[in-house]
Amino acid sequence: MIPLSVLDLSVVTTGTKPAAALRNSIDLARHVDGLGYVRYWLAEHHNLASVASPAPDVMIGQIAAVTRHIRVGSGGVMLPNHAPLVVAERFKMLEALFPGRIDLGLGRAPGTDGATAYALRSRLDRREGDDFLERLHELILWETREFPAGHPYHNVVAMPDDTKLPPIWLLGSSDYSSELAAQVGMGFAFAHHFASHDAIDAMVHYRNRFQPSAWSASPRAILAVAVITADTDEEAEKLATSFDLNRLRRDRGQYLPLPSVEEALAYPYTDAERISISRNRSRLFVGNPATVQKKLQPLIDASKPDELMVITAVYDHDARKKSYSLLAEAFGLKAAA
């Protein structure tokens, strides 16, 4: 069976304040660590009322400290928001403290709106446009220390200098990142849960074009999917109504806390809104464990990921934990000793 991992946004709900959402992330990480999940990644978003954590590196340290087996990483660090040296230093520190358990996932987007992106970068530099490739190259140079003689960074060392950067993964929702990850020989994680681009095309393209590198001798591909599982299809569908209303609002630019099931069921949907919800359901797998597994299997077979990374956003924290438990059982995960 395919290994399973977790992608966590530290989702804020109408009944869970941001501070509590962060504590829930730590609790969930402990929970899935014992179930046999192999990775726990945290996202970076800014100025979103629905997401509590803007700093995955801080959360990574907290979660790695209270878990024993699971790898902990960023899904991802939004590289345009950070000086590459800072990213190198922080993830070298994490790797030094938790050797062999840290991942560095990198994203191209700012993870926020234009004004907030400007505020994040206004004192950082004056580079304009998409400078992800430039930043990625600089990050790699902090690891290889191959700045040419005479370069202003030639004698600058990213500390701790006795620790390598953890494995780098490029995140994507289009064919651009799959092509780039293949060219530079890094791991690739595709965001099926919000991508408009075809996941199968991106994953197959990555494998077919992969070039071995010092980072990886072979392709390593993760497929991130949104899943809601409960004991019955009916219960899972009920839990998913929160997702449906939240997604509908997001499509309108309303990034509000996740609503309760009761609020979602009482919402007066128009016919057009119901059509939009039905369309968005193509990115969400809902049902009892057997139903979800049956729905996921064709996508797994066609895209051939090495790992399935699951994001479950439901209103009730205990229901979220149970969803991951049921999924672990369905996919035959071996509980950690």
Side-chain angles (χ1 to χ4, degrees):
M1 301 293 281
I2 189 169
L4 298 183
S5 294
V6 176
L7 175 61
D8 182 17
L9 300 185
S10 299
V11 173
V12 180
T13 77
T14 54
T16 307
K17 299 298 184 184
L22 295 175
R23 291 191 290 271
N24 283 346
S25 289
I26 294 173
D27 182 60
L28 179 62
R30 285 196 188 100
H31 179 65
V32 298
D33 187 39
L35 293 175
Y37 284 78
V38 298
R39 242 176 269 275
Y40 197 100
W41 280 9
L42 299 120
E44 175 188 343
H45 290 285
H46 303 270
N47 193 34
L48 293 182
S50 56
V51 180
S53 174
D57 52 331
V58 174
M59 288 298 292
I60 288 167
Q62 295 296 311
I63 286 174
V66 299
T67 54
R68 295 180 57 196
H69 309 283
I70 201 164
R71 296 186 67 93
V72 191
S74 55
V77 165
M78 300 294 103
L79 195 53
N81 299 337
H82 308 280
L85 174 59
V86 173
V87 176
E89 289 176 332
R90 291 178 181 177
F91 276 82
K92 279 174 172 281
M93 283 185 64
L94 288 167
E95 180 66 21
L97 293 169
F98 308 101
R101 292 186 55 208
I102 305 299
D103 293 321
L104 174 52
L106 298 172
R108 234 176 108 218
T112 188
D113 59 276
T116 307
Y118 181 81
L120 286 164
R121 297 182 61 177
S122 62
R123 304 296 182 189
L124 186 61
D125 59 37
R126 298 297 178 187
R127 286 180 280 191
E128 300 292 336
D130 186 350
D131 59 358
F132 178 78
L133 279 176
E134 182 182 347
R135 290 173 179 271
L136 177 62
H137 186 215
E138 184 180 321
L139 177 64
I140 292 171
L141 288 173
W142 288 119
E143 172 69 6
T144 62
R145 298 178 66 175
E146 293 177 347
F147 288 107
H151 192 282
Y153 298 162
H154 180 70
N155 294 320
V156 181
V157 178
M159 295 295 288
D161 64 351
D162 62 342
T163 303
K164 291 184 177 296
L165 277 176
I168 297 178
W169 298 77
L170 299 188
L171 315 185
S173 57
S174 68
D175 56 348
Y176 175 90
S177 293
S178 66
E179 175 69 25
L180 178 59
Q183 286 184 6
V184 299
M186 292 178 176
F188 176 58
F190 186 82
H192 174 275
H193 56 291
F194 67 79
S196 57
H197 188 81
D198 180 61
I200 298 169
D201 176 74
M203 298 286 277
V204 171
H205 184 87
Y206 166 70
R207 288 195 179 280
N208 289 343
R209 303 290 291 273
F210 182 85
Q211 299 178 24
S213 71
W215 301 100
S216 181
S218 58
R220 299 170 299 151
I222 294 175
L223 181 64
V225 292
V227 175
I228 296 175
T229 307
D231 287 325
T232 66
D233 288 346
E234 292 75 18
E235 179 61 21
E237 288 290 341
K238 187 177 179 181
L239 292 174
T241 58
S242 293
F243 173 96
D244 292 336
L245 179 55
N246 187 250
R247 181 73 202 199
L248 186 66
R249 288 169 168 170
R250 285 187 63 181
D251 288 345
R252 297 171 178 168
Q254 301 171 352
Y255 291 87
L256 302 175
L258 189 73
S260 67
V261 169
E262 290 74 19
E263 181 182 351
L265 290 175
Y267 186 87
Y269 297 99
T270 66
D271 290 342
E273 288 172 335
R274 293 187 184 281
I275 292 172
S276 179
I277 286 172
S278 178
R279 185 168 56 248
N280 285 332
R281 277 299 188 94
S282 65
R283 301 188 185 98
L284 178 65
F285 299 87
V286 181
N288 69 48
T291 298
V292 166
Q293 191 173 26
K294 184 178 180 181
K295 290 179 178 179
L296 279 170
Q297 201 58 52
L299 179 61
I300 295 171
D301 292 340
S303 60
K304 295 180 172 56
D306 297 297
E307 196 173 306
L308 205 63
M309 183 166 279
V310 177
I311 176 170
T312 298
V314 295
Y315 182 81
D316 182 74
H317 180 58
D318 287 335
R320 180 163 69 144
K321 290 170 67 176
K322 184 172 183 179
S323 181
Y324 280 109
S325 294
L326 292 171
L327 205 62
E329 184 177 355
F331 278 81
L333 299 192
K334 295 182 179 180

